[in-house]
Amino acid sequence: MINRDILKKYGALLKLEKHFPHRNRRKIKRFLSYVLALSALSLILPSLKLIGVIITAALLISWIKLALLELYFYSKYDLLKNEGLSFSLLSLEYDIQTSTKSKLNALINNEIGIVLLARLGVLIDLKILDKETLNQTVTNSTKYEDEDKNVANFIFNISLGNDATKEIFRKHAVSEKQIKRSFSMIETAFDTQIESEKWWSNENLSQIKAIGDDWAHGQTQILERYGRFVSSTAAISVDAYKEEIKRVLVVISKQHSPHAIVIDDSDAGRTAVIEGLNQKLQKDSLDASSKKRIFLIDSNIISQNSNSPQQFESEFSKVLYEAARIGNIICAIDNFPIFLDSTKNIGVEAISLMQDYLKGNVLPFIFLSDSAAYYQKIQPRNDIGQYVELVQIKIKDEEALLHFIEQQVQIDEAGYGVFYTYQAIEAVFDAIHRYFSTDTYKEKALDLINEVSVVVSQSKHSIVLPEDILSVIEDKTGIPAGAISEGEKDKLLNLESLLHARVIGQNEAVVSISQALRRSRSGISKTDRPIGSFLFLGPTGVGKTETTKALSDIFFGETIPLTRFDMSEFSGEDALSRLIGDSHTQNQGLLSNAVRERQYGVLLLDEFEKASKEVHNLFLQILDEGFFSDVFGKHVNVRNMIIIATSNAGSDIIMNSSGIDLVNNKPQIIESIVNRGIFRPELLNRFDGVIFFQSLSEDNMQSVVNLMLKGLGKRLKEKGIELVITPEMVTTLLNRKIDTHFGARPLNRLIADLVEEKVAEGLIAGTIASGTKITFIPNSNNEFDLKVLE
């Protein structure tokens, strides 16, 4: 039950809200206002004057009563909020506790309860329960303690009333966090609505534009040719940028060098900070003459309209002069690095024209830039850096991003007529972390929510579910995220046998990779690391690279080719800069570009031991966190890749061990690799598995020969030629003396010399053509003679 003191103090308010909700009062009052206006017109007609007076008086009395009820509501509401109490929670609790129905029945019929249960995705299932099941919750539900004002416990206790309700909440995986956050969204939306209705508040009065406001400081004809005043109402939520807005406000309020540069790789982020700052400035002062206004200059327009440095200087100087003369302008310049583009030959003029303003405080500047342009063009210039203060937009914690997503979802719900379950909101949050770069979280979240809203609004249903999020993710990125298809299911469950068809032996590697892929695709593995990371150790020619290629071909398909780096090429002093970029030469990183272009698949690092120490340090972060930053500060997401590094380290010991001995000696072999300084222990520990590839046995070699010959047969079949493989061919090849230290590679060269060469000669000479069936007969020289079959 509700606390008695609270009930005594706010009982009348809660009773009013239960029997005559605020929303209904507002509707009736608005309707009465229209009718009252019409009835007042009847007073001008003599024949209806008496009746008009009576009707108008009755309507006016009703309108006044409603107005008094509203004034009572607002006063009590403010008092309640000042005491830190939740009106929405008390209203919900009061309705449920005073209802003659079961708690669950009351919840389903309560306005706040309906929205809450719909947000949790359980409303439809609960609505179809029969009355007997709903009424069971009267006696079976856990008691709600007076001192416990946790709405999550409150709802959970109601759901525990019977097995049917428990199963519904379990099926939709409703958690305490989801209930709390869902209710918080409802509460915030209600409070925002109430505050917007109070026209007499300072905040709302400050939004009213004063008469002659445009004349207070002069005309802005020149300015408005090259930009716009930032609107007082932000189009997107700015709550997640509160810290950045606060910081920029402090900077531009300084008496000396009140200039900031806002860095973010998201246009939405930079715009939100400017719009949020403008909102803050408008709310802080009711005096129109002292209000600061932000004018956003589009640098593209100025640079495009300037055919010469002289023309640019003339136009830009006029813009700056007018902004300074007006006196209450904060000059924000979007995409500021365009002014520093040497190819346009306007950089010197731009900085020169701004120098006097930068040194003073008459015209505060806010420069907007992405991180790459900042590090390339702005940071090296002392003539700018000494006057401006850097404000970098970053997500400080997951709470800020989740709040941002909740706000954007509600904006889209109003705009597109859709409704997001909280499970779908969490799916957006998880997808942004898993499938996108970490420095564009907010922009990607905004883009994803917009796209999902469009897709769902065009479909037959209006409720957004987690599967809708995953379906759009799959369409946008090409990364499997939605429901597992039958073909993919068969591939995942039989991946070991599919790999073994191409990889001879090496069971440990095949099983480890297959398990990692199944965990990732099922959604139970960690999403803040790569899908899987493995270090393949063993002598040359035993299948390390072939296993990686087989995985890429079989699971990811030919449309997603293998991304391969020969790490022996990254052993010099410039190795790291070649991989992540060079700020001096402005060259992009090879690894950065490769992963951005293909963020799903297999990343193969051949001869990993030969990479420099700095490169190994880079992969410490990649393997642990699933992303890295390039030299320009942009994050690169590697969380949707399998990373496989191959190395010959310890191959001398591995070749002398096999089977159980190799398994038992694994710790000693790894210790030996560490003692030799090849790999550091912290790097080895970052891999999901360090897998040893054993030397090929005689049986393995026979399987390898058969596999290679079948591969040749497949290639010949594409030319219409059939190759008949006989046991004698395999035996002859195995009897040739080859160096087993090099694994299967000598066999590959042997087949090329003894078999493929004769096929090539036959094709050129014309003795072999499409439709021909051929085989090879061993001769006395332990070689082969080509035979064309009938």
Side-chain angles (χ1 to χ4, degrees), residues 12 63 99 210 233 239 305 323 369 398 461 528 542 561 566 576 579 590 615 622 627-628 641 650:
W63 189 93
S99 174
T233 303
D239 289 342
N305 293 344
S369 172
E398 295 185 346
H461 65 282
D528 57 354
V542 294
D566 184 347
L576 187 61
L579 287 173
L590 297 174
V615 173
I622 293 174
F627 73 89
F628 66 96
M641 303 194 81

Side-chain angles (χ1 to χ4, degrees), residues 465-480:
L465 302 172
E467 46 264 39
D468 297 311
I469 308 296
L470 298 176
S471 176
V472 171
I473 283 286
E474 190 165 332
D475 291 340
K476 284 175 70 68
T477 65
I479 301 172

Side-chain angles (χ1 to χ4, degrees), residues 329-342:
I329 297 290
I330 297 170
C331 189
I333 302 180
D334 193 19
N335 202 7
F336 174 69
I338 282 183
F339 283 174
L340 309 180
D341 190 346
S342 59

Side-chain angles (χ1 to χ4, degrees), residues 776-787:
F776 288 85
I777 307 298
N779 58 30
S780 57
N781 296 324
N782 212 16
E783 295 182 356
F784 295 111
D785 293 324
L786 175 62
K787 182 178 180 180

Side-chain angles (χ1 to χ4, degrees), residues 493-632:
L493 294 176
N494 299 291
L495 193 54
E496 285 91 343
S497 60
L498 293 172
L499 287 172
H500 274 309
R502 281 188 53 177
V503 178
I504 305 304
Q506 317 309 346
N507 189 63
E508 182 188 5
V510 169
V511 171
S512 298
I513 292 172
S514 301
Q515 290 174 345
L517 274 171
R518 282 193 287 267
R519 287 194 300 269
S520 173
R521 191 63 182 91
S522 66
I524 64 172
S525 62
K526 289 184 176 181
T527 59
D528 57 354
R529 299 186 67 192
I531 295 174
S533 58
F534 304 96
L535 175 61
F536 289 174
L537 297 177
T540 184
V542 294
K544 301 189 296 294
T545 302
E546 179 58 30
T547 300
T548 309
K549 290 179 179 179
L551 170 66
S552 181
D553 292 344
I554 292 169
F555 187 79
F556 296 98
E558 295 180 359
T559 57
I560 305 176
L562 177 74
T563 302
R564 181 175 181 176
F565 282 86
D566 184 347
M567 302 311 290
S568 64
E569 299 176 5
F570 300 94
S571 57
E573 294 181 357
D574 63 341
L576 187 61
S577 61
R578 290 178 61 208
L579 287 173
I580 68 172
D582 191 325
S583 59
H584 297 294
T585 63
Q586 305 303 316
N587 289 334
Q588 298 291 321
L590 297 174
L591 181 62
S592 308
N593 286 346
V595 174
R596 285 195 179 107
E597 291 172 5
R598 193 181 302 139
Q599 61 170 318
Y600 179 61
V602 177
L603 174 61
L604 172 60
L605 310 170
D606 263 335
E607 299 190 86
F608 188 57
E609 78 281 2
K610 295 181 181 178
S612 69
K613 181 180 178 181
E614 289 75 16
V615 173
H616 283 177
N617 289 338
L618 171 66
F619 278 93
L620 279 173
Q621 178 188 353
I622 293 174
L623 297 175
D624 194 42
E625 300 178 4
F627 73 89
F628 66 96
S629 298
D630 66 12
V631 74
F632 306 113

Side-chain angles (χ1 to χ4, degrees), residues 191-209 282-283 286 291:
D191 290 345
T192 301
Q193 177 63 34
I194 297 299
E195 293 300 328
S196 69
E197 294 168 1
K198 292 161 38 177
W199 57 265
W200 57 87
S201 67
N202 286 343
E203 184 174 323
N204 288 330
L205 288 174
S206 69
Q207 302 301 314
I208 301 174
K209 194 171 183 179
Q282 301 308 307
K283 292 175 184 177
L286 291 176
K291 280 183 183 178

Side-chain angles (χ1 to χ4, degrees), residues 171-186:
K171 182 181 76 172
H172 293 278
V174 176
S175 67
E176 183 175 345
K177 176 185 175 183
Q178 290 174 351
I179 298 176
K180 286 181 178 179
R181 303 285 313 197
S182 297
F183 190 83
S184 177
M185 290 175 67
I186 297 170

